[in-house]
Amino acid sequence: MMEIISQTNRTILLDVINPEKLDLLTLVGEVKGIDSLSDDQMREINLHLECRSYEEAERKMAPVIWSFFDANSQSVKYTLKKPENISESMLTEIKLNEQENFLKTVFTVMSSRKSQGLLNVEFGFEKLLEMISPKKVMEDIKQVRKEIQYNYSKYAEMEDGDPGKLDLGDRLNVLFEDASTNYNNVMAMLPLAIEDVKTRLLLGGGELKSDNKELVPGILTMAENGELKVLEAPKEENTALATLDDNINAGLIEVIREDYNAVNDTPSDYVQNLVVRTFCPLSSTNQSKIDVETEVQNYNSYLEFYRTSKDNFIKVVKPLVEKLLGIKMFFDQYKAKSKGMPPSLLIANISPEMLAKSSNLPRLITYLNTTNSKNNFKDTIWYAIYPNVSWSQNVTNKINRERFKGNVQKAGTDVYSMESLSILLDVFKDYRVETFFSFENREETTFNALAAEGVEKAIEKCAPLIGKSYSEFAIPVLPNFTVIPKNKSGVILDTKMRVTDGNSAAFSDAKEDVMRLWIEGVYINGAYVAAGFHAACQCPEYLKDHFNRTKVRTDSELPGVRFDIEAGNNSLLAYTTMPKEITGFTTTIKNQINQKNFGWIFSSENASLNGENITNITVYKARNLLYNSEYSSYESVYKTQVTTYIERILRYVTGDFKEDNIKNFFSNNPQSQKSKWSMKKDCINAIITEGDNLEYSINEATSICELTISFNGSPRNLEVLINRVNANA
């Protein structure tokens, strides 16, 4: 069947990544009087929005944060949208890639916790979060500095025209290009300035002077009576080697000064000297007298400004970082030795609120007509991801007067409504698109909250979507994943300094002078992981890799539409790439989850299979919002996709439901489609398994063919309008 339907896992993400990039509505354009889009339009949409890896998503969306300085408030401002009333020259574009400090820190936390296999309560988040501090930023710069000095010293000693010197010149050009990205940006220079002042005011390694006296280099000696003494070292002339080093340094200093002036439109002597000291520390013979009081004031000013600006930056960038993490984890779920059916993600790059407006729905419908109503299934959309559904729509505990500083609740820009979700679901149902949705990132939607409170609150919030014609296409995902817990998200940047009575610098002992910022937690919406995992399970190669140690066969020509993650030990053989977060659910909570059989529920349980410990998050329940009153349970997700898959295969094989072809499709002929599927019942990715049945009946009066698909005795019905023009006509 893979030659007919080559993919069953193409997913659309309903969210904005970069508002400056093209989006689905713009690319679809005006659709009045149009039933479907042209092939050229589809090619353009895929060119701009379709991604097959996180790296491709990062390249196509090019996520950025814009920053600019406000002279009135003497502060730096950050925004997700490019300000239209500020000139280009006043704007700084901060690219969110894996080189950006905050995103790099979050990725490092994720990979470290995964490799160590520690629960949230055991993991040392604070230690890794120090990567944001000026000290850690300076460590990266020092590595670049070491390479610059090493390569320049060799370059300076070589004769002009030497091919080796030209090779070193190429290397130095690359290193200087990297360095210039820092010293061409005052904000990037702040952590360097902070560490520079510390280096010059305090002893190497950040140790404080032990008293208020000026430091004098000395030599440890032993007196005649055995007493230890440190005597002042005699003054020595510079050695030839030191002079040579100074000469090389002098050349490098001149190159750095020239480069700084060349790339900076508004050069500053102070920043120029800072750049020089950062990338080419002066030898002791070149040190100048330090104005301690001025330097301490500068240091404290830099540190306060850095803390404030970094805090503002994180508040703005965090929601976008969480989206990028979600996209990364969507693709990360697919781990297969052979890439049979890798998931693809179409990033709509527009908010679902905008997409759900009545004036915009015709464009979405026309797009889905093109992808999902044709017998060409390459572009068919099977799943949608709707993240960040508002959790706190009905706030009952209104506070009239705030006596104590409390949490500032998320304002609505990056949280989407249940109303918009219902509007889109009503459209998606007609195209049989299953929508994974999850609630906004906050402590109330984490594993800790689910383990403490169960699923009752989530069921209550999903009530408007239950009992509707689109309920079976709505898949609520619980819980969200915690990357950095709120209570472990503090970062100590550094401590302010003071001038001592002896006119030397020392760190302040005052508690309020410890410069700390709070990230307030980083999370990943569960919908990304659920959709990514379900998409991965569609690939026969993925299932083959995960079930290769069992006796169950995998058919390479069938997708995993019938794969039931809840059956048997399936969840212990195919599981997510996410590390466990908590010790698990209590028996009471598990009983509640099993009784309700509600939603797509992830589990962080201690489990093992065949002596192997499962250290990853597994899938505990995989249900949509279609409630089966006979079984007092919500329906399994796989039933909807099997029904969709059979309907699409039937449409293709029968030439759009021709009556004679339908009869052949369900006949007992060994070559009929039903017979072919029945022969593969023992496969893990069988379309019809043992206990399943596939039947049909044709109402001659209405020309309606009713399909009945029984899953272990539980029937699902699907009606199609048959084509009376038979094959012999």
Side-chain angles (χ1 to χ4, degrees), residues 445-549:
T445 60
T446 61
F447 272 97
N448 283 331
L450 182 62
E453 301 174 4
V455 295
E456 289 288 358
K457 282 187 179 179
I459 295 175
E460 180 184 331
K461 292 180 184 298
C462 290
L465 307 179
I466 299 172
K468 302 294 192 298
S469 57
Y470 50 72
S471 295
E472 69 169 305
F473 298 98
I475 306 170
V477 181
L478 296 171
N480 292 331
F481 294 85
T482 302
V483 179
I484 301 171
K486 186 177 179 179
N487 63 345
K488 289 192 170 188
S489 64
V491 185
I492 295 178
L493 300 175
D494 221 316
T495 304
K496 285 186 175 182
M497 286 190 198
R498 60 182 175 84
V499 179
T500 67
D501 295 338
N503 197 38
S504 64
F507 283 129
S508 170
D509 296 327
K511 186 178 179 181
E512 62 270 16
D513 286 341
V514 176
M515 292 289 100
R516 181 195 296 267
L517 64 82
W518 291 91
I519 297 173
E520 295 291 332
V522 176
Y523 308 92
I524 299 174
N525 255 221
Y528 289 99
V529 181
F533 176 79
H534 198 48
C537 290
Q538 298 304 304
C539 176
E541 295 298 329
Y542 174 92
L543 293 175
K544 182 180 178 180
D545 286 352
H546 286 76
F547 286 82
N548 62 355
R549 286 177 292 176

Side-chain angles (χ1 to χ4, degrees), residues 179-189 260 263-265 271 275:
S180 69
T181 60
N182 287 285
Y183 61 68
N184 193 31
N185 181 345
V186 175
M187 279 305 300
M189 290 303 296
Y260 168 79
V263 300
N264 205 308
D265 295 331
V271 178
V275 168

Side-chain angles (χ1 to χ4, degrees), residues 119 447 451 572 580-587 589-590 593 602-608 613-618 620:
L119 303 177
F447 272 97
L572 300 181
K580 284 196 301 184
E581 294 194 16
I582 60 172
T583 53
F585 302 139
T586 64
T587 303
I589 294 298
K590 280 192 281 192
I593 294 172
F602 288 110
S603 172
S604 178
E605 294 283 314
N606 290 323
S608 64
N613 288 329
I614 310 300
T615 59
N616 290 41
I617 298 289
T618 58
Y620 197 61

Side-chain angles (χ1 to χ4, degrees), residues 65-81:
I65 297 292
W66 299 94
S67 74
F68 58 92
F69 294 98
D70 179 12
N72 284 334
S73 63
Q74 290 291 297
S75 63
V76 59
K77 305 288 186 182
Y78 299 95
T79 175
L80 293 170
K81 294 182 180 179

Side-chain angles (χ1 to χ4, degrees), residues 24-43:
L24 185 62
L25 287 181
T26 302
L27 288 166
V28 169
E30 181 56 56
V31 295
K32 190 174 292 184
I34 298 174
D35 188 55
S36 70
L37 305 177
S38 68
D39 290 348
D40 286 339
Q41 282 179 288
M42 289 301 297
R43 190 179 297 112

Side-chain angles (χ1 to χ4, degrees), residues 667-704:
S667 74
N668 293 323
N669 185 318
Q671 296 305 309
S672 75
Q673 190 58 64
K674 180 181 176 181
S675 296
K676 289 179 181 178
W677 282 340
S678 297
M679 291 169 61
K680 299 179 178 181
K681 284 187 175 182
D682 60 335
C683 295
I684 190 65
N685 58 333
I687 304 301
I688 303 171
T689 66
E690 290 295 335
D692 292 352
N693 198 15
L694 185 59
E695 297 175 336
Y696 80 104
S697 63
I698 295 177
N699 187 319
E700 298 293 341
T702 61
S703 295
I704 294 291

